[in-house]
Amino acid sequence: MFQGHSMAAQISLARHDGLSTKELERRIRLPQDLINFIKASNAICKYQNLFQQQFRNPVFIQVGLDFALFSMYPHDLDEAQAAVVGDLSVEIEKLQGAAAIPPDIDRIKETLTQAKKDLNRSELRVDFSFIPCQGAATVAKVRLLGYTETVKKLRDVLQDYLVNQVSTKEVLNLQHPEMVDCFEKIQELIKFKQTKANVKPSHLPNPCVVISGPRRHVQEAHKALRSGLASLILEKWILDGPGALQYFQADGKVSKELVESSSQVLIKERQVSAPRRYIYQTSSFLPLPKKTTSLQSSFLFVGLQRKNVDEAITKMKNLYQAHSSTKTFLPQELEDLTQNDIKSLMDLVETQGLYVQNDRNGLTVSGMKAGVNQVEQMLRTITPLRKEMRVKEEDNLYCRVAWCILGQNGEWERLPKSANFNLEKPNITKGIVDAQGSTWSVNLQRMEAIGNITGQVAKLKRLENLPDFTFPLYWDNMSSNENLKEVLVDRFSAEYQTVQQDFNKTANNKTILKIERLQNIHLRRAYEMQKKHMSEKNKNEGGAGERLLYHGTDPESLQSIKTKGFNRSFAGRHGNDHLFNLGCSISLSLK
């Protein structure tokens, strides 16, 4: 038998030495290494003796560059050629993978050398050589040649080594990543028997089982595993509810194992990417941190029967629903939380694997009961303390700072303590509420408030009181080192209109150039003290009565009035001729 080589015979007439008859010549083209084997072995004598015994007429052999047969009869040449071709073989075996590289290829050489030595013990019957393949480092060829029967024995030695000694590797893909983590239990479920092959599950490059070891054992293991895995019923359940993974890995672990046992299935859980845990809205009342991703719980159910798998899924759903909870906290319960409180709340949410929805209706926390209860306990503890702190801070600030809004009647109105506090912080994302309960949006840059319902625009202002002096609401703010301030009154303000109307009642056909408000802290402080004294003194008669009086004066007296206050000696002085300015004062009288 010859592989990869051509064999040709040529018949020609020639005169054999020593004979006068014409002989036929048959030339057989054989590979050069096989020609060398024939020359080195006892093949020529063997075939010559065989031909003498088999044929009546002589058949001669000549071996040079090729193999030649000589006879008088073509039939004898055909039979002699068939005997030679059938008795000699050249076979090529490919070595791939680990077999083509050290150390296995070196061991193959040692094994073949020993087998060749044993087979050639009495005579040269077989030989071999290695042929490296160009451009393929992991593929080589072994060339076997000699007597056909002996070549087959040496090939069997090689095949046995390749099957039972050389390591190989096969990969069996798995349907789900969870199967990798519970593969030992899957082997028990399908009753896979351990072999000499090494079976190792892996997540890379994708969920799979790597089977390595001797080729025969690898092939057997691969076939058995593929058949067993094909018999499995696989079902994946993605639980969108929060905290399921933590529950079934901790408090609910025993319950999950009971489901596995009673339904005769395997359940393997893992986490997968999911929509964001915190639902954040710009209109929400609580500034929660934004998160774009969270973790859902994925459960893989593995069984041998569909009804068992369906039964296990139902039981797991019921377990989760029985141990989950949802709780909504109203905005008024949480409005006093500090940034540190919010951070602690979110840390607890993250630890317990909870979901949070934050909108105008409140803060909704959902997940396992134990986690939701911890959040509720935390908020129930913090909220009263924060409310108490808020009240104290509001009261303290209300004494020092006054935020005012200009009412529809043109009078400045002080905002309630809560709005006063929110404007000062500032914490105005939800707007402010005035003393009448109306809600306003705020633009601090323009110092304006816009009614949420009416759309009305109202001015805002901030007054910072001194330790011993509270500013009147209609005054403008003054710095701490400022005792006197002249404020030009807006021509369109209610304050301007009031003074103008009072003035025109007794001073007809006069033109008002401007109206200024004189803010003198010392004079105002003295006025407040005197007013208080008179109110207490006359409390039984209705307290102190206030009247607005106007007087004219000359320009030389203005500065004295501004700094030292009203003096009756200034009244009426050139009052009919020089009304450059109006000094206004408040006088107290007894009823």
Side-chain angles (χ1 to χ4, degrees), residues 528-542:
E528 294 289 350
M529 292 178 62
Q530 185 65 21
K531 177 182 177 181
K532 181 179 178 181
H533 171 71
M534 295 183 70
S535 295
E536 292 176 352
K537 180 179 179 182
N538 299 285
K539 60 182 178 180
N540 295 328
E541 288 80 18

Side-chain angles (χ1 to χ4, degrees), residues 22-34:
K22 291 184 177 180
E23 294 178 335
L24 296 175
E25 180 184 273
R26 178 73 55 84
R27 293 191 176 274
I28 305 173
R29 295 178 183 175
L30 300 177
Q32 186 59 49
D33 53 356
L34 189 56

Side-chain angles (χ1 to χ4, degrees), residues 12 29 89 92 127 141 190 233 249 282 324 337 346 349 363 431 458 488 576 590:
S12 61
R29 295 178 183 175
S89 294
I92 297 177
D127 201 358
K141 296 179 180 179
I190 63 177
I233 303 297
Q249 288 180 341
T282 56
S324 61
L337 294 182
M346 290 302 101
V349 165
L363 183 72
L488 182 64
N576 293 328
L590 297 177

Side-chain angles (χ1 to χ4, degrees), residues 36 54 100 107 117 137 177 186 196 309 314-315 327 332 361 398 433 461 494 508 536 548 553 589:
N36 295 337
Q54 186 174 354
R107 293 170 183 164
K117 181 178 179 181
I186 289 178
K196 294 182 180 180
V309 171
T314 301
K315 290 180 179 179
K327 179 70 177 178
Q332 55 267 32
N361 298 322
Y398 203 67
V433 179
K461 76 174 178 180
N508 295 326
E536 292 176 352
L548 291 177
T553 188
S589 63

Side-chain angles (χ1 to χ4, degrees), residues 453-491:
I453 297 178
T454 63
Q456 174 191 352
V457 179
K459 292 183 178 180
L460 295 172
K461 76 174 178 180
R462 176 184 181 274
L463 299 175
E464 187 169 355
N465 297 324
L466 300 177
D468 59 346
F469 181 77
T470 300
F471 280 87
L473 297 185
Y474 65 90
W475 276 24
D476 285 12
N477 202 33
M478 298 172 64
S479 63
S480 59
N481 59 354
E482 193 176 15
N483 293 316
L484 174 64
K485 185 174 185 177
E486 299 179 28
V487 179
L488 182 64
V489 180
D490 185 0
R491 181 178 295 274

Side-chain angles (χ1 to χ4, degrees), residues 4 24 37 115 122 158 218 224 281 306 328 340 349 399 451 457 492 497 515 529 546 555:
L24 296 175
F37 173 80
S122 58
L158 175 60
V218 169
Q281 300 178 5
R306 167 56 63 181
T328 298
N340 288 335
V349 165
C399 296
V457 179
F492 300 101
Q497 298 299 323
I515 300 177
M529 292 178 62
E546 290 182 329

